[in-house]
Amino acid sequence: MDRLNINKTAQEVHEQYQKMESVGYNTMVYGQAGTWKTSAILTCPKPVHVYSFDRHGWAPIKRYVDGKNINVDARFEGAFGSRIKAGQQETTFNRWQKDFKEKANSGYFDAVGTLVFDSATTWALSIMDQVRKTGGKMMPDNDYIINKKMTPDQKDWQIQMEALKLALDDFLSLPCNCYLICHEVTEVYGDNERILTLPLLTGKLKEQIPPMFDEVYRAEAVPSSKGNTVRLLTQNDGNIIAKSRLAQVPSGKNSPYLNKYEEFNIKKLMIKVGLEKEAEDKPPLF
């Protein structure tokens, strides 16, 4: 390869990297009920758009939902779809996907500071509902579910898992910050019966989804004399899954670094890992 072609190839690679670099901060936070996962939406860069799949999941922040800075779309709550048109079965997941693609194609998410999914656990259930009701059959504008099967079995769960990974890939490619909320589960692994705390997702997704995110934190309640507080575990302790790609071992005064436990504040975490610009609020949506 001559020098001219080498330069051209290197520039193309670097341009592709710059496109990837422009994608915003992305984090998954999982934990038990009552660990402020939804309340922490108020600490995200605004405006915040929330896709709510947990029924009444928005209740902790309802007094702050003004549509301008905090906008909650609760049309997709509940794991089960419904017949919304005479003679046509359209599931929650299919309706959500249409809405998501319309907003992505229109540039809506360019104006959003943070996009939130609350929660991945019930969002995944809505995908299985799609598989169960349609046999994985292609619905209008539906390119995530790619197989046909009428009765739920192991293959149906595989369809659901592949669909969720494809949808998350689109979620993580947006020009805004992304915050995925998930419930948690504790399971026994391996012959040595190792106990692990993981995000509550289907099968191997517990292991496959976290690597898709730069940041994976576990929210945990800490009892005190004044009532419970909540902190985030940012590092894997061997039994509880957590990580940070953006934090580094401290090498200087201004190097990005997170303590093992951090305050549950998304903006502050972004600033600590060097994302001051991404942590800034954008203008209200209207």
Side-chain angles (χ1 to χ4, degrees):
M1 183 180 290
D2 59 34
R3 173 54 59 181
L4 183 61
N5 286 330
I6 290 173
N7 292 346
K8 182 179 178 181
T9 300
Q11 287 175 354
E12 289 173 351
V13 171
H14 186 62
E15 286 171 3
Q16 186 62 37
Y17 165 77
Q18 288 178 316
K19 289 180 182 178
M20 294 297 294
E21 191 182 31
S22 67
V23 174
Y25 170 87
N26 63 80
T27 183
M28 167 192 276
V29 176
Y30 72 99
Q32 296 178 343
T35 51
W36 303 357
K37 300 182 296 297
T38 300
S39 297
I41 288 171
L42 301 177
T43 72
C44 292
K46 297 177 179 60
V48 179
H49 185 94
V50 182
Y51 277 122
S52 181
F53 291 89
D54 287 10
R55 193 173 300 281
H56 291 178
W58 41 262
I61 62 170
K62 64 181 181 179
R63 71 182 67 180
Y64 302 100
V65 179
D66 60 1
K68 300 177 182 180
N69 295 295
I70 305 289
N71 202 12
V72 174
D73 192 340
R75 294 174 295 166
F76 312 107
E77 289 188 356
F80 305 108
S82 60
R83 295 181 184 273
I84 62 172
K85 294 180 181 179
Q88 178 182 351
Q89 185 184 54
E90 190 168 27
T91 65
T92 297
F93 181 73
N94 190 59
R95 289 186 289 121
W96 165 78
Q97 185 179 252
K98 286 181 179 179
D99 184 84
F100 177 80
K101 288 194 171 185
E102 287 173 2
K103 285 182 169 60
N105 292 334
S106 70
Y108 173 82
F109 295 122
D110 292 309
V112 169
T114 309
L115 177 61
V116 180
F117 278 46
D118 189 5
S119 68
T121 305
T122 45
W123 183 34
L125 290 176
S126 77
I127 299 176
M128 176 47 70
D129 186 54
Q130 168 93 356
V131 176
R132 185 179 63 83
K133 289 188 173 180
T134 69
K137 185 170 55 179
M138 297 287 282
M139 296 287 285
D141 300 320
N142 192 328
D143 58 8
Y144 291 138
I145 294 177
I146 56 176
N147 203 357
K148 295 182 179 181
K149 190 72 178 178
M150 292 306 297
T151 56
D153 60 17
Q154 186 61 39
K155 193 170 183 179
D156 293 320
W157 289 110
Q158 185 62 39
I159 295 169
Q160 181 227 33
M161 289 191 287
E162 292 303 315
L164 183 61
K165 286 192 288 185
L166 288 169
L168 275 174
D169 190 59
D170 283 350
F171 172 60
L172 295 172
S173 299
L174 294 170
C176 58
N177 303 306
C178 298
Y179 174 33
L180 184 73
I181 296 172
C182 197
H183 302 288
E184 77 169 42
V185 64
T186 300
E187 295 186 350
V188 178
Y189 270 70
D191 296 335
N192 59 355
E193 298 187 342
R194 181 184 177 195
I195 298 175
L196 293 179
T197 301
L198 304 151
L200 179 54
L201 294 165
T202 303
K204 292 293 184 180
L205 289 181
K206 298 181 186 70
E207 302 165 14
Q208 295 172 354
I209 296 302
M212 296 177 70
F213 286 80
D214 289 337
E215 309 296 291
V216 178
Y217 308 138
R218 193 250 183 162
E220 55 184 64
V222 182
S224 71
S225 59
K226 298 181 180 179
N228 286 357
T229 59
V230 175
R231 64 185 183 182
L232 290 182
L233 176 68
T234 71
Q235 301 172 19
N236 191 324
D237 75 350
N239 293 311
I240 301 174
I241 302 301
K243 67 164 188 175
S244 174
R245 285 188 182 136
L246 301 176
Q248 303 171 2
V249 175
S251 57
K253 182 178 180 181
N254 297 318
S255 62
Y257 179 71
L258 294 179
N259 297 310
K260 181 176 180 180
Y261 293 103
E262 288 284 353
E263 177 186 354
F264 200 165
N265 185 303
I266 300 299
K267 271 190 179 181
K268 289 183 178 180
L269 287 165
M270 293 175 69
I271 292 169
K272 285 195 73 171
V273 297
L275 298 179
E276 293 87 352
K277 183 177 179 180
E278 290 82 352
E280 293 176 359
D281 291 337
K282 296 179 181 180
L285 292 171
F286 62 87

